[in-house]
Protein backbone atom coordinates (compact mmCIF):
# COMPACT_ATOMS: atom_id res chain seq x y z
CA UNK A 1 0.00 0.00 0.00
CA UNK A 2 2.93 2.35 -0.51
CA UNK A 3 1.75 3.66 -3.81
CA UNK A 4 -2.00 3.33 -4.00
CA UNK A 5 -2.81 2.38 -7.54
CA UNK A 6 -5.66 4.29 -9.07
CA UNK A 7 -8.33 1.88 -10.36
CA UNK A 8 -8.58 2.16 -14.09
CA UNK A 9 -5.11 3.61 -14.59
CA UNK A 10 -4.22 0.89 -17.05
CA UNK A 11 -7.44 1.40 -18.95
CA UNK A 12 -6.78 5.13 -19.18
CA UNK A 13 -3.32 4.39 -20.48
CA UNK A 14 -4.64 1.85 -22.94
CA UNK A 15 -7.72 3.51 -24.42
CA UNK A 16 -7.52 7.11 -23.26
CA UNK A 17 -9.36 8.92 -20.47
CA UNK A 18 -12.55 9.43 -22.39
CA UNK A 19 -13.07 5.80 -23.37
CA UNK A 20 -12.05 4.68 -19.90
CA UNK A 21 -14.89 6.81 -18.52
CA UNK A 22 -17.39 6.24 -21.31
CA UNK A 23 -20.14 4.59 -19.29
CA UNK A 24 -19.51 6.71 -16.23
CA UNK A 25 -19.96 9.85 -18.31
CA UNK A 26 -23.04 8.39 -19.98
CA UNK A 27 -24.45 7.61 -16.57
CA UNK A 28 -23.81 11.08 -15.20
CA UNK A 29 -25.32 12.52 -18.35
CA UNK A 30 -28.39 10.34 -17.86
CA UNK A 31 -28.77 11.22 -14.17
CA UNK A 32 -28.27 14.92 -14.73
CA UNK A 33 -30.47 15.19 -17.79
CA UNK A 34 -33.35 13.38 -16.07
CA UNK A 35 -32.95 15.79 -13.17
CA UNK A 36 -32.72 18.73 -15.56
CA UNK A 37 -35.92 17.80 -17.38
CA UNK A 38 -37.67 17.80 -14.01
CA UNK A 39 -36.07 21.13 -13.10
CA UNK A 40 -36.95 22.94 -16.36
CA UNK A 41 -40.45 23.55 -15.06
CA UNK A 42 -39.69 25.17 -11.72
CA UNK A 43 -36.64 26.98 -13.10
CA UNK A 44 -37.75 28.22 -16.51
CA UNK A 45 -41.47 27.48 -16.62
CA UNK A 46 -40.87 24.83 -19.26
CA UNK A 47 -43.21 22.09 -18.16
CA UNK A 48 -42.07 19.04 -20.08
CA UNK A 49 -42.34 16.91 -16.95
CA UNK A 50 -44.37 17.67 -13.85
CA UNK A 51 -44.09 15.89 -10.52
CA UNK A 52 -41.13 13.86 -9.30
CA UNK A 53 -39.78 10.31 -9.40
CA UNK A 54 -42.64 9.04 -7.25
CA UNK A 55 -45.15 10.01 -9.92
CA UNK A 56 -44.93 12.32 -12.88
CA UNK A 57 -46.74 13.46 -15.96
CA UNK A 58 -44.76 14.02 -19.15
CA UNK A 59 -46.08 16.44 -21.79
CA UNK A 60 -49.46 16.34 -20.03
CA UNK A 61 -50.09 12.83 -21.36
CA UNK A 62 -47.61 10.17 -20.22
CA UNK A 63 -48.07 9.14 -16.59
CA UNK A 64 -45.16 7.44 -14.82
CA UNK A 65 -45.37 6.05 -11.31
CA UNK A 66 -42.82 4.45 -9.05
CA UNK A 67 -44.18 0.91 -8.61
CA UNK A 68 -42.53 0.62 -5.19
CA UNK A 69 -44.33 3.62 -3.72
CA UNK A 70 -47.56 2.43 -5.31
CA UNK A 71 -47.07 -1.02 -3.80
CA UNK A 72 -46.66 0.57 -0.39
CA UNK A 73 -49.83 2.54 -1.01
CA UNK A 74 -51.62 -0.72 -1.82
CA UNK A 75 -50.27 -2.29 1.37
CA UNK A 76 -51.54 0.75 3.23
CA UNK A 77 -54.99 -0.08 1.91
CA UNK A 78 -55.53 2.39 -0.93
CA UNK A 79 -56.51 1.41 -4.46
CA UNK A 80 -55.18 4.14 -6.77
CA UNK A 81 -56.60 5.70 -9.94
CA UNK A 82 -55.92 3.99 -13.26
CA UNK A 83 -53.45 6.68 -14.34
CA UNK A 84 -51.16 5.76 -11.45
CA UNK A 85 -51.48 2.07 -12.29
CA UNK A 86 -50.73 2.67 -15.99
CA UNK A 87 -47.69 4.72 -14.97
CA UNK A 88 -46.44 1.94 -12.73
CA UNK A 89 -46.93 -0.71 -15.41
CA UNK A 90 -44.88 1.33 -17.89
CA UNK A 91 -42.05 1.64 -15.37
CA UNK A 92 -42.28 -2.05 -14.47
CA UNK A 93 -42.03 -3.17 -18.10
CA UNK A 94 -39.10 -0.84 -18.74
CA UNK A 95 -37.08 -2.10 -15.78
CA UNK A 96 -37.99 -5.72 -16.43
CA UNK A 97 -36.29 -5.25 -19.80
CA UNK A 98 -33.22 -3.19 -18.89
CA UNK A 99 -32.75 -4.63 -15.38
CA UNK A 100 -34.25 -2.95 -12.34
CA UNK A 101 -31.12 -1.56 -10.83
CA UNK A 102 -30.53 0.57 -13.89
CA UNK A 103 -32.77 2.86 -11.83
CA UNK A 104 -30.03 3.01 -9.18
CA UNK A 105 -27.11 3.76 -11.46
CA UNK A 106 -28.71 5.73 -14.28
CA UNK A 107 -31.64 7.58 -12.67
CA UNK A 108 -31.47 7.86 -8.88
CA UNK A 109 -29.99 11.21 -7.77
CA UNK A 110 -28.65 9.75 -4.52
CA UNK A 111 -26.23 7.68 -6.59
CA UNK A 112 -24.24 10.84 -7.28
CA UNK A 113 -23.88 11.44 -3.55
CA UNK A 114 -22.85 7.88 -2.73
CA UNK A 115 -20.53 7.69 -5.74
CA UNK A 116 -18.86 10.88 -4.55
CA UNK A 117 -18.55 9.45 -1.06
CA UNK A 118 -17.02 6.28 -2.45
CA UNK A 119 -14.62 8.21 -4.69
CA UNK A 120 -13.42 10.32 -1.76
CA UNK A 121 -13.15 7.25 0.39
CA UNK A 122 -10.91 5.54 -2.13
CA UNK A 123 -8.84 8.68 -2.64
CA UNK A 124 -8.27 9.11 1.09
CA UNK A 125 -7.74 5.40 1.60
CA UNK A 126 -10.41 5.02 4.26
CA UNK A 127 -10.69 1.35 5.05
CA UNK A 128 -13.36 1.08 7.70
CA UNK A 129 -15.30 -2.11 7.23
CA UNK A 130 -18.74 -2.35 8.72
CA UNK A 131 -20.41 -5.65 9.18
CA UNK A 132 -23.69 -4.93 7.45
CA UNK A 133 -25.15 -7.77 5.46
CA UNK A 134 -26.02 -7.08 1.84
CA UNK A 135 -29.33 -8.76 2.54
CA UNK A 136 -30.35 -6.07 5.00
CA UNK A 137 -32.00 -4.18 2.15
CA UNK A 138 -34.35 -7.08 1.42
CA UNK A 139 -35.33 -7.28 5.05
CA UNK A 140 -35.90 -3.53 5.02
CA UNK A 141 -37.96 -3.86 1.84
CA UNK A 142 -40.17 -6.34 3.63
CA UNK A 143 -40.32 -4.15 6.70
CA UNK A 144 -41.38 -1.07 4.73
CA UNK A 145 -44.24 -2.99 3.14
CA UNK A 146 -45.32 -4.47 6.46
CA UNK A 147 -45.07 -1.04 8.00
CA UNK A 148 -47.29 0.51 5.34
CA UNK A 149 -49.85 -2.17 6.14
CA UNK A 150 -49.50 -1.77 9.90
CA UNK A 151 -49.77 2.01 10.15
CA UNK A 152 -51.89 2.65 7.02
CA UNK A 153 -49.41 5.20 5.80
CA UNK A 154 -46.60 5.15 3.27
CA UNK A 155 -44.27 5.30 6.24
CA UNK A 156 -41.03 4.84 4.32
CA UNK A 157 -41.67 8.10 2.49
CA UNK A 158 -41.15 9.92 5.77
CA UNK A 159 -37.46 9.00 5.68
CA UNK A 160 -36.66 7.81 2.14
CA UNK A 161 -33.54 9.77 1.07
CA UNK A 162 -34.16 8.97 -2.61
CA UNK A 163 -37.49 10.74 -2.91
CA UNK A 164 -36.40 13.28 -0.30
CA UNK A 165 -33.53 14.40 -2.51
CA UNK A 166 -35.44 14.40 -5.78
CA UNK A 167 -38.48 16.10 -4.30
CA UNK A 168 -36.22 18.45 -2.41
CA UNK A 169 -34.43 19.62 -5.54
CA UNK A 170 -37.69 20.24 -7.37
CA UNK A 171 -40.07 21.39 -4.65
CA UNK A 172 -37.70 22.79 -2.02
CA UNK A 173 -35.21 21.00 0.18
CA UNK A 174 -36.09 22.24 3.67
CA UNK A 175 -34.08 20.31 6.23
CA UNK A 176 -33.77 17.25 3.98
CA UNK A 177 -30.13 18.04 3.26
CA UNK A 178 -29.33 16.75 6.75
CA UNK A 179 -30.58 13.30 5.77
CA UNK A 180 -28.56 13.44 2.54
CA UNK A 181 -25.50 14.52 4.47
CA UNK A 182 -26.06 11.55 6.76
CA UNK A 183 -26.13 9.21 3.75
CA UNK A 184 -22.92 10.77 2.48
CA UNK A 185 -21.14 10.45 5.81
CA UNK A 186 -22.38 6.89 6.20
CA UNK A 187 -20.96 5.89 2.82
CA UNK A 188 -17.82 7.98 3.24
CA UNK A 189 -16.67 6.96 6.69
CA UNK A 190 -18.78 4.16 8.08
CA UNK A 191 -19.50 1.63 5.37
CA UNK A 192 -18.15 1.03 1.88
CA UNK A 193 -21.06 1.45 -0.53
CA UNK A 194 -23.16 1.32 2.63
CA UNK A 195 -26.40 2.90 1.52
CA UNK A 196 -26.95 1.78 -2.08
CA UNK A 197 -25.53 -1.72 -1.77
CA UNK A 198 -26.61 -2.70 1.73
CA UNK A 199 -29.57 -0.76 3.04
CA UNK A 200 -31.66 0.98 0.39
CA UNK A 201 -35.01 -0.85 0.02
CA UNK A 202 -35.75 1.09 -3.15
CA UNK A 203 -32.74 -0.54 -4.80
CA UNK A 204 -33.78 -3.87 -3.31
CA UNK A 205 -37.21 -3.53 -4.87
CA UNK A 206 -35.79 -2.65 -8.26
CA UNK A 207 -33.25 -5.46 -8.08
CA UNK A 208 -36.15 -7.91 -7.87
CA UNK A 209 -37.36 -6.55 -11.21
CA UNK A 210 -33.99 -7.42 -12.70
CA UNK A 211 -33.88 -11.14 -11.96
CA UNK A 212 -34.69 -12.10 -15.54
CA UNK A 213 -34.01 -8.95 -17.50
CA UNK A 214 -32.29 -9.49 -20.83
CA UNK A 215 -29.85 -6.56 -20.70
CA UNK A 216 -26.74 -7.68 -18.81
CA UNK A 217 -23.04 -7.10 -18.56
CA UNK A 218 -21.12 -10.03 -20.03
CA UNK A 219 -17.54 -11.11 -19.37
CA UNK A 220 -17.23 -12.95 -22.65
CA UNK A 221 -13.53 -12.23 -22.97
CA UNK A 222 -12.85 -13.45 -19.44
CA UNK A 223 -9.93 -15.53 -20.62
CA UNK A 224 -8.08 -12.24 -21.12
CA UNK A 225 -8.42 -11.20 -17.48
CA UNK A 226 -5.06 -10.36 -15.97
CA UNK A 227 -6.36 -10.27 -12.38
CA UNK A 228 -5.69 -6.55 -11.98
CA UNK A 229 -8.78 -6.30 -9.74
CA UNK A 230 -9.77 -2.92 -11.17
CA UNK A 231 -13.30 -4.05 -11.99
CA UNK A 232 -13.63 -5.45 -8.51
CA UNK A 233 -12.45 -2.17 -6.97
CA UNK A 234 -14.92 0.03 -8.81
CA UNK A 235 -17.91 -2.30 -8.66
CA UNK A 236 -20.61 -1.22 -6.22
CA UNK A 237 -21.77 -4.84 -5.93
CA UNK A 238 -18.45 -6.69 -5.96
CA UNK A 239 -20.00 -10.08 -5.31
CA UNK A 240 -21.69 -10.13 -8.73
CA UNK A 241 -18.48 -10.15 -10.79
CA UNK A 242 -16.66 -13.23 -9.57
CA UNK A 243 -19.04 -15.97 -10.81
CA UNK A 244 -19.08 -14.60 -14.34
CA UNK A 245 -15.43 -13.61 -14.50
CA UNK A 246 -13.83 -16.56 -12.72
CA UNK A 247 -16.46 -19.25 -13.11
CA UNK A 248 -15.25 -20.77 -16.38
CA UNK A 249 -13.83 -23.89 -14.73
CA UNK A 250 -16.86 -24.33 -12.50
CA UNK A 251 -19.16 -24.30 -15.50
CA UNK A 252 -20.60 -20.85 -14.86
CA UNK A 253 -21.40 -18.79 -17.94
CA UNK A 254 -19.91 -15.37 -18.66
CA UNK A 255 -23.10 -13.37 -18.04
CA UNK A 256 -23.34 -11.37 -14.83
CA UNK A 257 -26.72 -12.73 -13.87
CA UNK A 258 -27.06 -11.32 -10.36
CA UNK A 259 -30.02 -8.93 -10.17
CA UNK A 260 -27.90 -6.74 -7.93
CA UNK A 261 -25.63 -5.75 -10.80
CA UNK A 262 -26.67 -2.15 -11.47
CA UNK A 263 -25.61 -2.24 -15.13
CA UNK A 264 -23.52 0.82 -14.41
CA UNK A 265 -20.87 -0.33 -16.87
CA UNK A 266 -17.98 0.90 -14.74
CA UNK A 267 -16.25 -2.50 -15.03
CA UNK A 268 -16.36 -2.11 -18.80
CA UNK A 269 -14.70 1.30 -18.44
CA UNK A 270 -11.84 0.31 -16.17
CA UNK A 271 -10.90 -2.96 -17.82
CA UNK A 272 -7.83 -2.58 -19.92
CA UNK A 273 -8.41 -6.03 -21.45
CA UNK A 274 -11.92 -5.36 -22.78
CA UNK A 275 -13.22 -8.32 -20.83
CA UNK A 276 -16.68 -6.85 -20.27
CA UNK A 277 -19.35 -5.49 -22.54
CA UNK A 278 -23.08 -4.90 -22.46
CA UNK A 279 -25.05 -7.71 -24.01
CA UNK A 280 -28.02 -9.98 -23.55
CA UNK A 281 -28.39 -12.64 -20.91
CA UNK A 282 -29.10 -15.37 -23.47
CA UNK A 283 -26.40 -17.63 -24.81
CA UNK A 284 -24.82 -18.01 -21.40
CA UNK A 285 -22.93 -21.23 -21.96
CA UNK A 286 -19.54 -22.09 -20.51
CA UNK A 287 -18.45 -23.05 -23.96
CA UNK A 288 -17.57 -19.49 -24.71
CA UNK A 289 -14.80 -20.18 -27.17
CA UNK A 290 -16.81 -18.75 -30.04
CA UNK A 291 -17.43 -15.48 -28.21
CA UNK A 292 -13.89 -15.48 -26.97
CA UNK A 293 -12.47 -15.88 -30.42
CA UNK A 294 -14.54 -13.00 -31.62
CA UNK A 295 -12.93 -10.74 -29.03
CA UNK A 296 -9.52 -12.25 -29.47
CA UNK A 297 -9.64 -11.39 -33.15
CA UNK A 298 -10.68 -7.87 -32.38
CA UNK A 299 -7.77 -7.33 -30.02
CA UNK A 300 -4.94 -9.47 -31.26
CA UNK A 301 -2.36 -7.61 -29.17
CA UNK A 302 -4.03 -8.21 -25.86
CA UNK A 303 -1.60 -10.92 -24.80
CA UNK A 304 1.38 -8.68 -25.43
CA UNK A 305 0.02 -5.62 -23.66
CA UNK A 306 -0.68 -7.92 -20.78
CA UNK A 307 3.01 -8.60 -20.41
CA UNK A 308 4.00 -5.02 -21.05
CA UNK A 309 1.99 -3.57 -18.19
CA UNK B 1 -12.92 -18.57 -3.69
CA UNK B 2 -11.50 -18.05 -0.26
CA UNK B 3 -14.90 -18.23 1.34
CA UNK B 4 -15.68 -21.40 -0.57
CA UNK B 5 -12.49 -23.07 0.61
CA UNK B 6 -13.09 -22.20 4.22
CA UNK B 7 -16.73 -23.12 4.11
CA UNK B 8 -15.90 -26.54 2.73
CA UNK B 9 -13.72 -27.17 5.77
CA UNK B 10 -16.34 -26.10 8.28
CA UNK B 11 -18.89 -28.76 9.28
CA UNK B 12 -22.36 -28.16 7.89
CA UNK B 13 -23.92 -27.73 11.33
CA UNK B 14 -21.54 -24.91 12.21
CA UNK B 15 -21.97 -23.04 8.96
CA UNK B 16 -25.72 -23.45 9.23
CA UNK B 17 -25.62 -22.02 12.73
CA UNK B 18 -23.52 -19.12 11.51
CA UNK B 19 -25.94 -18.47 8.69
CA UNK B 20 -28.89 -18.50 11.06
CA UNK B 21 -27.19 -16.19 13.53
CA UNK B 22 -26.21 -13.67 10.87
CA UNK B 23 -29.66 -13.81 9.30
CA UNK B 24 -31.27 -13.25 12.66
CA UNK B 25 -28.97 -10.34 13.31
CA UNK B 26 -29.80 -8.72 9.97
CA UNK B 27 -33.50 -9.33 10.42
CA UNK B 28 -33.34 -7.89 13.90
CA UNK B 29 -31.57 -4.77 12.70
CA UNK B 30 -34.07 -4.33 9.87
CA UNK B 31 -36.96 -4.79 12.27
CA UNK B 32 -35.49 -2.21 14.64
CA UNK B 33 -35.04 0.23 11.81
CA UNK B 34 -38.60 -0.45 10.74
CA UNK B 35 -39.82 0.20 14.24
CA UNK B 36 -37.98 3.50 14.27
CA UNK B 37 -39.35 4.53 10.90
CA UNK B 38 -42.83 3.45 11.95
CA UNK B 39 -42.77 5.46 15.15
CA UNK B 40 -41.30 8.46 13.40
CA UNK B 41 -43.85 8.33 10.61
CA UNK B 42 -46.63 7.97 13.17
CA UNK B 43 -45.36 11.07 14.91
CA UNK B 44 -45.04 13.01 11.69
CA UNK B 45 -48.50 12.31 10.27
CA UNK B 46 -50.17 14.56 12.81
CA UNK B 47 -51.22 17.44 10.57
CA UNK B 48 -50.91 20.78 12.25
CA UNK B 49 -54.03 22.88 12.58
CA UNK B 50 -52.66 25.65 10.38
CA UNK B 51 -51.97 23.30 7.46
CA UNK B 52 -54.98 22.68 5.24
CA UNK B 53 -55.33 19.92 2.65
CA UNK B 54 -56.32 20.65 -0.97
CA UNK B 55 -59.98 20.19 -1.98
CA UNK B 56 -61.21 16.62 -2.11
CA UNK B 57 -58.49 15.29 0.19
CA UNK B 58 -59.43 12.01 1.84
CA UNK B 59 -59.52 11.85 5.61
CA UNK B 60 -56.05 12.33 7.03
CA UNK B 61 -55.44 8.61 7.63
CA UNK B 62 -56.58 7.58 4.16
CA UNK B 63 -54.76 10.50 2.61
CA UNK B 64 -51.43 9.37 4.03
CA UNK B 65 -51.88 5.92 2.55
CA UNK B 66 -53.00 7.22 -0.83
CA UNK B 67 -50.80 10.25 -1.52
CA UNK B 68 -47.55 9.32 -3.29
CA UNK B 69 -46.02 12.74 -2.59
CA UNK B 70 -45.56 13.58 -6.29
CA UNK B 71 -46.66 17.21 -6.25
CA UNK B 72 -48.78 17.10 -9.43
CA UNK B 73 -51.59 18.91 -7.58
CA UNK B 74 -49.09 21.60 -6.59
CA UNK B 75 -48.08 22.05 -10.23
CA UNK B 76 -51.62 22.35 -11.53
CA UNK B 77 -52.76 24.89 -8.95
CA UNK B 78 -52.96 28.17 -10.93
CA UNK B 79 -52.56 30.33 -7.82
CA UNK B 80 -49.50 28.68 -6.24
CA UNK B 81 -51.63 27.99 -3.21
CA UNK B 82 -50.33 24.50 -2.58
CA UNK B 83 -46.86 23.38 -1.60
CA UNK B 84 -45.31 20.04 -0.69
CA UNK B 85 -44.32 19.74 2.93
CA UNK B 86 -40.60 19.94 3.46
CA UNK B 87 -38.83 18.44 6.45
CA UNK B 88 -39.87 20.69 9.33
CA UNK B 89 -43.12 21.92 7.73
CA UNK B 90 -46.45 21.45 9.52
CA UNK B 91 -47.63 18.50 7.38
CA UNK B 92 -46.42 14.94 6.65
CA UNK B 93 -43.21 15.10 4.61
CA UNK B 94 -43.87 15.46 0.90
CA UNK B 95 -47.65 15.85 1.12
CA UNK B 96 -49.51 18.90 -0.27
CA UNK B 97 -50.95 21.55 2.02
CA UNK B 98 -51.71 25.25 2.11
CA UNK B 99 -51.73 27.99 4.69
CA UNK B 100 -54.90 30.06 4.46
CA UNK B 101 -53.37 33.22 5.88
CA UNK B 102 -50.66 33.18 3.18
CA UNK B 103 -52.48 32.03 0.03
CA UNK B 104 -56.05 30.78 0.37
CA UNK B 105 -57.79 28.43 -2.05
CA UNK B 106 -59.45 30.31 -4.91
CA UNK B 107 -61.97 27.53 -5.45
CA UNK B 108 -61.50 27.00 -9.21
CA UNK B 109 -64.63 25.67 -10.89
CA UNK B 110 -62.72 22.94 -12.75
CA UNK B 111 -60.71 21.91 -9.62
CA UNK B 112 -57.40 21.25 -11.49
CA UNK B 113 -55.56 20.00 -8.39
CA UNK B 114 -58.02 17.15 -7.94
CA UNK B 115 -57.87 16.24 -11.63
CA UNK B 116 -54.05 16.13 -11.46
CA UNK B 117 -53.94 13.61 -8.62
CA UNK B 118 -52.86 10.23 -10.04
CA UNK B 119 -53.94 8.20 -7.03
CA UNK B 120 -57.23 9.84 -6.04
CA UNK B 121 -55.78 10.89 -2.71
CA UNK B 122 -57.69 13.98 -3.81
CA UNK B 123 -60.99 12.29 -4.45
CA UNK B 124 -61.94 12.44 -8.12
CA UNK B 125 -65.60 12.13 -7.25
CA UNK B 126 -65.51 15.76 -6.09
CA UNK B 127 -66.99 17.62 -9.05
CA UNK B 128 -68.50 20.71 -7.42
CA UNK B 129 -65.95 22.85 -5.64
CA UNK B 130 -68.76 24.04 -3.32
CA UNK B 131 -68.83 20.51 -1.93
CA UNK B 132 -65.18 20.67 -0.92
CA UNK B 133 -64.53 20.59 2.81
CA UNK B 134 -60.92 21.66 3.31
CA UNK B 135 -61.66 22.80 6.81
CA UNK B 136 -64.15 24.92 8.67
CA UNK B 137 -63.90 28.63 9.44
CA UNK B 138 -64.24 29.45 13.11
CA UNK B 139 -64.46 32.94 14.58
CA UNK B 140 -61.98 32.18 17.30
CA UNK B 141 -61.39 35.49 18.98
CA UNK B 142 -64.44 37.52 19.92
CA UNK B 143 -62.24 39.82 21.97
CA UNK B 144 -60.48 41.32 18.96
CA UNK B 145 -62.99 40.79 16.14
CA UNK B 146 -64.05 44.30 15.11
CA UNK B 147 -67.64 43.29 14.46
CA UNK B 148 -67.83 42.01 18.03
CA UNK B 149 -66.88 45.54 19.07
CA UNK B 150 -69.89 46.83 17.22
CA UNK B 151 -67.90 48.06 14.22
CA UNK B 152 -68.86 47.26 10.66
CA UNK B 153 -65.68 45.58 9.43
CA UNK B 154 -67.54 42.72 7.72
CA UNK B 155 -64.46 41.80 5.64
CA UNK B 156 -64.68 38.07 6.31
CA UNK B 157 -68.33 38.15 5.30
CA UNK B 158 -67.75 40.13 2.13
CA UNK B 159 -64.71 38.18 0.97
CA UNK B 160 -66.44 34.83 1.47
CA UNK B 161 -67.11 33.12 -1.91
CA UNK B 162 -70.32 31.78 -0.38
CA UNK B 163 -71.37 35.14 1.09
CA UNK B 164 -74.61 35.04 3.12
CA UNK B 165 -74.49 31.26 3.06
CA UNK B 166 -71.21 30.18 4.62
CA UNK B 167 -70.87 33.39 6.63
CA UNK B 168 -73.92 35.43 7.62
CA UNK B 169 -74.10 38.55 9.76
CA UNK B 170 -76.40 37.95 12.70
CA UNK B 171 -77.85 41.01 14.41
CA UNK B 172 -77.33 41.13 18.15
CA UNK B 173 -78.01 44.07 20.41
CA UNK B 174 -74.96 46.01 21.47
CA UNK B 175 -75.07 45.96 25.25
CA UNK B 176 -72.21 48.40 25.54
CA UNK B 177 -73.90 51.28 23.77
CA UNK B 178 -77.32 50.11 24.74
CA UNK B 179 -78.94 51.07 21.47
CA UNK B 180 -76.90 49.80 18.51
CA UNK B 181 -76.76 46.46 16.81
CA UNK B 182 -73.70 44.25 16.41
CA UNK B 183 -73.36 42.30 13.18
CA UNK B 184 -71.83 39.04 14.25
CA UNK B 185 -70.10 37.03 11.50
CA UNK B 186 -71.52 33.55 11.84
CA UNK B 187 -70.16 30.50 10.01
CA UNK B 188 -72.46 27.78 8.75
CA UNK B 189 -70.76 24.44 8.27
CA UNK B 190 -73.21 23.20 5.65
CA UNK B 191 -71.85 25.82 3.25
CA UNK B 192 -68.28 26.58 4.39
CA UNK B 193 -65.70 24.92 2.11
CA UNK B 194 -62.73 25.92 4.27
CA UNK B 195 -61.13 27.86 1.43
CA UNK B 196 -59.53 30.24 3.93
CA UNK B 197 -60.51 33.52 2.26
CA UNK B 198 -61.96 34.88 5.49
CA UNK B 199 -58.78 34.11 7.43
CA UNK B 200 -56.73 35.62 4.62
CA UNK B 201 -58.87 38.76 4.52
CA UNK B 202 -59.17 39.41 8.26
CA UNK B 203 -57.83 42.93 8.81
CA UNK B 204 -56.29 42.21 12.20
CA UNK B 205 -52.57 41.63 12.74
CA UNK B 206 -53.48 38.07 13.68
CA UNK B 207 -56.70 36.81 12.16
CA UNK B 208 -59.64 36.52 14.54
CA UNK B 209 -61.36 34.08 12.17
CA UNK B 210 -59.37 30.99 11.18
CA UNK B 211 -59.97 27.88 9.16
CA UNK B 212 -59.38 24.77 11.23
CA UNK B 213 -59.38 21.13 10.18
CA UNK B 214 -62.92 19.89 10.59
CA UNK B 215 -61.87 17.37 13.21
CA UNK B 216 -60.89 20.30 15.43
CA UNK B 217 -63.62 22.72 14.48
CA UNK B 218 -66.74 20.59 14.56
CA UNK B 219 -68.55 19.15 17.52
CA UNK B 220 -70.53 15.97 17.21
CA UNK B 221 -73.88 15.24 18.78
CA UNK B 222 -74.50 11.97 20.53
CA UNK B 223 -76.33 9.51 18.28
CA UNK B 224 -79.38 9.54 20.53
CA UNK B 225 -79.86 13.32 20.52
CA UNK B 226 -83.05 14.64 18.91
CA UNK B 227 -84.14 18.23 18.51
CA UNK B 228 -87.69 18.42 19.87
CA UNK B 229 -88.86 21.12 17.48
CA UNK B 230 -87.57 19.21 14.47
CA UNK B 231 -89.18 15.99 15.61
CA UNK B 232 -92.41 17.91 16.18
CA UNK B 233 -92.30 19.18 12.62
CA UNK B 234 -91.55 15.72 11.27
CA UNK B 235 -94.41 14.19 13.22
CA UNK B 236 -96.75 17.04 12.29
CA UNK B 237 -97.97 17.47 15.86
CA UNK B 238 -96.70 18.01 19.34
CA UNK B 239 -94.93 15.01 20.74
CA UNK B 240 -95.75 16.03 24.32
CA UNK B 241 -99.15 14.81 25.43
CA UNK B 242 -101.29 17.63 26.88
CA UNK B 243 -102.48 15.53 29.83
CA UNK B 244 -99.01 15.54 31.32
CA UNK B 245 -98.42 18.76 33.20
CA UNK B 246 -95.01 20.33 32.81
CA UNK B 247 -93.13 20.77 36.02
CA UNK B 248 -90.98 23.86 36.16
CA UNK B 249 -88.67 24.65 39.01
CA UNK B 250 -89.02 28.41 39.02
CA UNK B 251 -87.50 30.96 41.36
CA UNK B 252 -89.72 32.44 43.99
CA UNK B 253 -92.15 35.05 42.74
CA UNK B 254 -92.40 33.57 39.24
CA UNK B 255 -94.86 31.15 37.75
CA UNK B 256 -95.70 29.72 34.40
CA UNK B 257 -98.95 30.05 32.58
CA UNK B 258 -99.63 26.94 30.56
CA UNK B 259 -102.42 28.55 28.62
CA UNK B 260 -100.10 30.66 26.54
CA UNK B 261 -99.08 33.65 28.58
CA UNK B 262 -95.77 32.03 29.52
CA UNK B 263 -93.55 33.18 32.35
CA UNK B 264 -95.27 35.55 34.80
CA UNK B 265 -93.57 37.64 37.46
CA UNK B 266 -95.60 38.34 40.53
CA UNK B 267 -96.60 42.01 40.73
CA UNK B 268 -95.01 42.46 44.13
CA UNK B 269 -91.57 41.48 42.84
CA UNK B 270 -91.93 43.65 39.85
CA UNK B 271 -92.33 46.73 41.90
CA UNK B 272 -89.38 45.83 44.09
CA UNK B 273 -87.07 45.33 41.19
CA UNK B 274 -88.10 48.70 39.89
CA UNK B 275 -88.38 47.71 36.29
CA UNK B 276 -88.69 50.61 33.94
CA UNK B 277 -89.62 48.72 30.84
CA UNK B 278 -92.19 51.31 29.80
CA UNK B 279 -89.70 54.15 29.85
CA UNK B 280 -87.77 55.21 26.80
CA UNK B 281 -84.00 54.59 27.00
CA UNK B 282 -83.40 58.01 25.48
CA UNK B 283 -83.16 61.16 27.52
CA UNK B 284 -84.88 64.30 26.29
CA UNK B 285 -81.47 65.89 25.80
CA UNK B 286 -79.58 63.88 23.12
CA UNK B 287 -76.19 65.01 24.50
CA UNK B 288 -77.01 63.45 27.84
CA UNK B 289 -77.72 60.14 26.12
CA UNK B 290 -74.35 60.17 24.35
CA UNK B 291 -72.44 61.01 27.53
CA UNK B 292 -74.26 58.40 29.53
CA UNK B 293 -71.91 56.04 31.34
CA UNK B 294 -69.08 58.57 31.49
CA UNK B 295 -70.13 60.04 34.84
CA UNK B 296 -69.91 56.70 36.60
CA UNK B 297 -66.42 55.95 35.32
CA UNK B 298 -63.52 57.16 37.44
Amino acid sequence: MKTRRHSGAEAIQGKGWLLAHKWLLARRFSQLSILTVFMLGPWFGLWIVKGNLNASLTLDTLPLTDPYVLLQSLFAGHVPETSAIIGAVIILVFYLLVSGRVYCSWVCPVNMITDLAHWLRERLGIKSASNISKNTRYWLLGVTLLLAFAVSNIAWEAVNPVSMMHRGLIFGMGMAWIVLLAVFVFDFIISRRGWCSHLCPVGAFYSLLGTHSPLRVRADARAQCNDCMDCFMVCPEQQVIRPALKGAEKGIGPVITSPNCTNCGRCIDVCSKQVFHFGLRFNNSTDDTAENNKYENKHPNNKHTNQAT
Amino acid sequence: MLSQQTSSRIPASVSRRRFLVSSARTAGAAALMGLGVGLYSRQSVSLSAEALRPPGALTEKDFNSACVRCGLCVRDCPFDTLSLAKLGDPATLGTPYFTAREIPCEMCDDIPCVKACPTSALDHSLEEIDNARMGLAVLLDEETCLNFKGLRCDVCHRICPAIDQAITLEHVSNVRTGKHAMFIPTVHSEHCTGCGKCEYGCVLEEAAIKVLPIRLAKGELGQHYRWGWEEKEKAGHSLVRPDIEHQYNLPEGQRYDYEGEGLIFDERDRENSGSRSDESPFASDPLETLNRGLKESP
Side-chain angles (χ1 to χ4, degrees), chain B residues 135-146:
Chain B
L136 180 61
V138 182
L139 209 163
L140 283 166
D141 192 12
E142 301 177 359
E143 291 176 350
T144 50
C145 172
L146 299 183

Side-chain angles (χ1 to χ4, degrees), chain A residues 47 50-52 54-55 73 76 78 81 83-84 131 133 136 139 143 147 152-155 158 167 170-172 174-175, chain B residues 1 25-27 30 34 38 40-41 45 61 64-70 72 75-76 84 86-87 93-94 118-120 124:
Chain A
W47 295 105
K50 287 185 214 165
N52 58 38
N54 280 4
S73 178
H78 178 75
E81 283 290 296
S83 75
N131 207 5
S133 161
T136 312
W139 288 98
V143 164
L147 211 58
S152 308
N153 173 11
I154 308 178
R167 198 192 310 111
I170 297 166
F171 290 92
M175 308 291 279
Chain B
M1 267 188 286
R25 202 173 52 174
T26 310
Y40 171 70
S41 75
V45 294
K61 188 167 177 279
N64 276 310
S65 65
C67 173
V68 293
R69 286 81 160 152
C70 69
L72 286 173
R75 289 305 179 219
D76 281 9
L84 288 190
K86 300 186 273 290
L87 215 56
L93 181 68
T119 63
S120 223
H124 285 213

Side-chain angles (χ1 to χ4, degrees), chain A residues 208-249:
Chain A
L208 296 179
L209 298 183
T211 35
H212 300 290
S213 48
L215 181 70
R216 301 273 63 178
V217 173
R218 301 177 64 110
D220 282 316
R222 55 188 172 181
Q224 321 250 350
C225 174
N226 63 354
D227 296 332
C228 73
M229 295 289 280
D230 277 0
C231 57
F232 198 69
M233 290 308 292
V234 296
C235 182
E237 299 281 353
Q238 294 167 319
Q239 76 282 10
V240 310
I241 294 182
R242 188 184 285 138
L245 187 62
K246 296 291 166 196
E249 292 127 47

